[in-house]
Amino acid sequence: MDTDKSFTSLDKNLFGDNFAWGVSTAALQTEGSCDADGKGPSVWDTFSNKRGKILNGHKPTHACEFYNEYRRDIDLVKQLNIPNFRFSIAWTRILPSGEGEVNQAGIEHYNKVIDYCLQQGITPWVTLYHWDLPQALEDKGGWTNRQIVEWFSNFTTICAKSFGDRVKHWMVMNEPAVFTGAGYFLGIHAPGRTGLRNFLPAIHHVVLSIVAGARILRHICPDAQIGNTFSCSYIEPYADKPRHIAAAKRADALINRLYIEPLLGLGYPTQEVKALKGIYKYVQPGDEANMSFDFDFIGIQNYTREIVKYSFFTPYIGASLVKAQDRGVEITEMKWEVHPPSIYEMVKKYNSYPQIKKLIITENGAAFPDVVFDGKVDDQRRLSYLQTHLQQVLRAKQEGYNVEGYFVWTLTDNFEWAEGYHPRFGLVYVDFENQQRIIKASGHWFAQMLG
Ligand code: NOJ
C-alpha cells in the first residue's frame, strides 16, 4: 500500500515500548441486536424511534452486527496488528431495566467477547458507560435523579465481579461533557432533554457516579488500570481582543474543564461560567469527599480545534463557535476543522495538571466520504489525518510530555449517533446492506506501522 514517504519517520518504536496502540469502539454504535437475549431498551433505542432525531431516520438496530459476529471484527483487529481493543458494555444487556435482576445471557456474551480477545492476544480495554442509559432509568429521571449513583454503582459492581479477573484496563465513562451537554442541555442526543434544570443535576450525578464506579473497580480489581475518557478541543479566540479572549476562556471551561477539574479535586469551574453556580443546589454536605479519584490514566479524545467569539446573544456563556465551514479551512464529513496541532496542544494542556499520572489518547480519527473502487477504499484524506495527528503526538512525546498511548476512532464504520450511518470513521469500510468489510488504505497503513 502506498503511503506518503515523508511519514516513513512514523516508526512505532519512536513512541517507546510502553506506548499502548489501539482502536476504540462502543456498544451502541456497533453491536446491533437491540433486543436479543433479553436486552432492554436504552435511551438511544427510544430516541432513534422518534421522528427527526437521527439523520435520514437511521436506527442502531443492526449497526455492524458486532453482537453476533464479534469474532469477525476481533479477527480484523488482529489482522491489523492492533494490540489493544477498546469496547463498551451495554448496561441494558446486563440489567435490562437498569437495576434488579441480572440477565445472565448478557454476562455470558461479554465473557465470550473478552475471552475471544484474549485468545487472539488482544488486550481488552472496557468502557462501562458509553452513553446507552437504560430507558427504564431515564423514565425515573435518568442522570437528573441522584439515585443513579446507586444504580450505576450496582452495574459497576456486577461488571467488575464478572469480568475483572480478565479485564485489566477500565474506563468508567466516555466523554461526560458530550452526553450531558448534548443529551441533557441541547437535546440533540438521547434522551433529548434541555436546559440548565436538567444539565446541572446531571453533571453532578455523573461526577459522583464516576468516582463511585472508579472506587468499586479499584476495590474489586486492585491490579487493574482505572481511567475515564474526556472529550477536548483546542480553543482559540476569534481575535486578539479582550472580549473574544474572555469568551474563549468560558468556552474552554465548559468544553475542556467541566469534568476533569472536579474529578481531580479542583472543583467545578464556576468562576469562568457563572451559570454553573446553580450546580451547588445539587451538591449535598459530604459530597466534596466523593467527587475526586486518583486515576491511573486519563483518556483524552481530540478531533479538532474551535474558534470562539464573544456573543451577546448566547445565553449563559456569551460565546459562540465560528463554524469551520465559514473559515475556509479543511473540514471532515462532521464539518470539523482538520487541525493536527490541536492534539499536541491538548497533550500539553492536560500535562499541566500535576494530578494526571498518565495520559492516553483514547480516541482520534476522522470521517470522510469513502468510495469503493475496484473492491478497494483508497482513503488518502483519513490516512493523512491520522499520520499528521500522530506526528503531533510524537512531537509532544519528544518534547517530554507524558502521553502513553493512541487509539484510533474507530475499527469499522458504524452508527455515528444523531448523524446515523452517514459519517464513516472506520479503518475498515462496512457495506451496511450486506455487512461486508473492506480494509481501507488507512487500515493497511496502520497495520504496516504496527507490524
Ligand atoms: C466521540 C465518541 O466517544 C464516539 O462515540 C464518537 O463516535 C466519536 N467521538 C466521533 O464523533
Side-chain angles (χ1 to χ4, degrees):
M1 192 56 55
D2 284 343
T3 51
D4 187 334
K5 295 288 173 292
S6 62
F7 287 102
T8 43
S9 60
L10 267 177
D11 177 341
K12 76 163 180 189
N13 297 318
L14 294 172
F15 292 80
D17 292 343
N18 296 326
F19 197 80
W21 294 97
V23 69
S24 287
T25 67
L28 185 111
Q29 296 179 270
T30 59
E31 286 181 348
S33 302
C34 281
D35 48 16
D37 302 332
K39 179 184 173 294
S42 78
V43 289
W44 275 94
D45 297 313
T46 311
F47 194 68
S48 60
N49 278 322
K50 291 187 183 158
R51 272 179 75 110
K53 299 294 183 194
I54 313 287
L55 192 68
N56 302 319
H58 287 168
K59 298 190 195 316
T61 327
H62 299 292
C64 312
E65 291 181 0
F66 182 71
Y67 181 74
N68 288 320
E69 301 292 334
Y70 60 88
R71 288 186 192 84
R72 167 176 62 195
D73 289 337
I74 295 171
D75 287 349
L76 279 167
V77 177
K78 182 168 177 162
Q79 202 184 327
L80 295 179
N81 300 321
I82 303 174
N84 298 290
F85 179 49
R86 174 178 171 223
F87 58 92
S88 75
I89 293 180
W91 190 338
T92 51
R93 293 197 192 279
I94 308 291
L95 293 157
S97 30
E99 52 176 346
E101 211 169 310
V102 175
N103 177 34
Q104 214 46 48
I107 305 273
E108 273 156 32
H109 169 71
Y110 291 108
N111 272 334
K112 285 191 282 185
V113 173
I114 293 162
D115 289 345
Y116 194 68
C117 284
L118 294 171
Q119 279 161 24
Q120 301 310 309
I122 293 164
T123 304
W125 289 55
V126 172
T127 314
L128 278 176
Y129 183 76
H130 201 124
W131 309 355
D132 42 358
L133 182 71
Q135 181 60 43
L137 298 183
E138 175 57 24
D139 295 342
K140 294 177 188 161
W143 291 107
T144 68
N145 184 340
R146 191 174 165 107
Q147 241 187 303
I148 200 156
V149 183
E150 273 164 50
W151 299 328
F152 185 71
S153 298
N154 176 40
F155 166 58
T156 304
T157 304
I158 297 164
C159 292
K161 284 188 176 160
S162 306
F163 313 123
D165 57 333
R166 288 150 294 152
V167 175
K168 303 296 173 196
H169 297 83
W170 294 92
M171 286 141 290
V172 185
M173 290 196 202
N174 179 67
E175 296 194 347
V178 175
F179 78 81
T180 54
Y184 283 79
F185 184 68
L186 299 172
I188 53 173
H189 273 193
R193 294 189 190 221
T194 55
L196 283 183
R197 72 193 164 86
N198 287 309
F199 187 44
L200 296 179
I203 297 170
H204 188 55
H205 302 149
V206 165
V207 166
L208 293 174
S209 300
I210 292 175
V211 172
R215 287 179 180 170
I216 291 166
L217 286 166
R218 174 76 84 231
H219 180 69
I220 301 176
C221 323
D223 59 341
Q225 291 269 305
I226 298 159
N228 197 78
T229 73
F230 299 88
S231 49
C232 58
S233 295
Y234 179 43
I235 308 282
E236 287 196 294
Y238 175 68
D240 197 12
K241 297 252 165 57
R243 66 181 195 280
H244 297 307
I245 295 172
K249 274 210 174 112
R250 294 193 292 275
D252 180 58
L254 201 59
I255 293 173
N256 294 326
R257 299 169 47 204
L258 178 59
Y259 282 94
I260 189 76
E261 294 201 353
L263 289 165
L264 295 178
L266 303 169
Y268 293 113
T270 49
Q271 270 309 99
E272 287 73 12
V273 186
K274 301 277 185 276
L276 283 178
K277 287 197 168 153
I279 204 162
Y280 294 121
K281 201 169 120 195
Y282 306 96
V283 179
Q284 295 185 3
D287 279 2
E288 210 178 311
N290 298 320
M291 284 172 60
S292 61
F293 185 78
D294 186 19
F295 289 101
D296 299 307
F297 70 95
I298 290 296
I300 58 167
Q301 321 202 136
N302 171 256
Y303 289 84
T304 192
R305 154 175 89 158
E306 299 290 358
I307 302 294
V308 175
K309 186 178 183 172
Y310 169 73
S311 158
F312 176 76
F313 297 102
T314 312
Y316 309 125
I317 176 110
S320 63
L321 305 179
V322 184
K323 288 185 183 152
Q325 67 261 44
D326 298 338
R327 290 193 264 122
V329 292
E330 188 192 355
I331 57 173
T332 70
E333 198 76 341
M334 298 295 281
K335 303 194 172 62
W336 296 342
E337 180 186 3
V338 177
H339 187 261
S342 292
I343 202 163
Y344 164 83
E345 295 292 346
M346 292 297 95
V347 170
K348 252 172 97 168
K349 180 180 177 73
Y350 288 85
N351 263 262
S352 70
Y353 293 110
Q355 300 88 340
I356 295 182
K357 289 188 197 146
K358 188 202 274 196
L359 209 59
I360 293 189
I361 312 281
T362 38
E363 285 185 25
N364 173 244
F368 289 112
D370 294 319
V371 274
V372 181
F373 183 71
D374 221 1
K376 296 195 173 103
V377 178
D378 194 21
D379 60 335
Q380 290 301 319
R381 294 183 68 193
R382 180 174 299 98
L383 182 52
S384 144
Y385 179 100
L386 295 174
Q387 290 176 331
T388 48
H389 282 73
L390 259 179
Q391 281 286 353
Q392 294 288 335
V393 176
L394 184 58
R395 174 182 163 211
K397 199 161 170 63
Q398 288 177 338
E399 288 179 16
Y401 292 107
N402 160 10
V403 50
E404 287 297 338
Y406 176 89
F407 286 57
V408 175
W409 182 268
T410 180
L411 179 63
T412 56
D413 297 334
N414 61 36
F415 180 79
E416 178 57 27
W417 310 108
E419 308 300 318
Y421 294 99
H422 174 67
R424 294 177 174 273
F425 274 91
L427 293 172
V428 177
Y429 181 90
V430 176
D431 181 334
F432 290 102
E433 295 292 312
N434 58 21
Q435 290 292 334
Q436 274 185 8
R437 271 90 169 120
I438 300 170
I439 299 177
K440 301 177 194 177
S442 58
H444 286 294
W445 162 76
F446 201 50
Q448 199 182 51
M449 190 187 58
L450 298 180

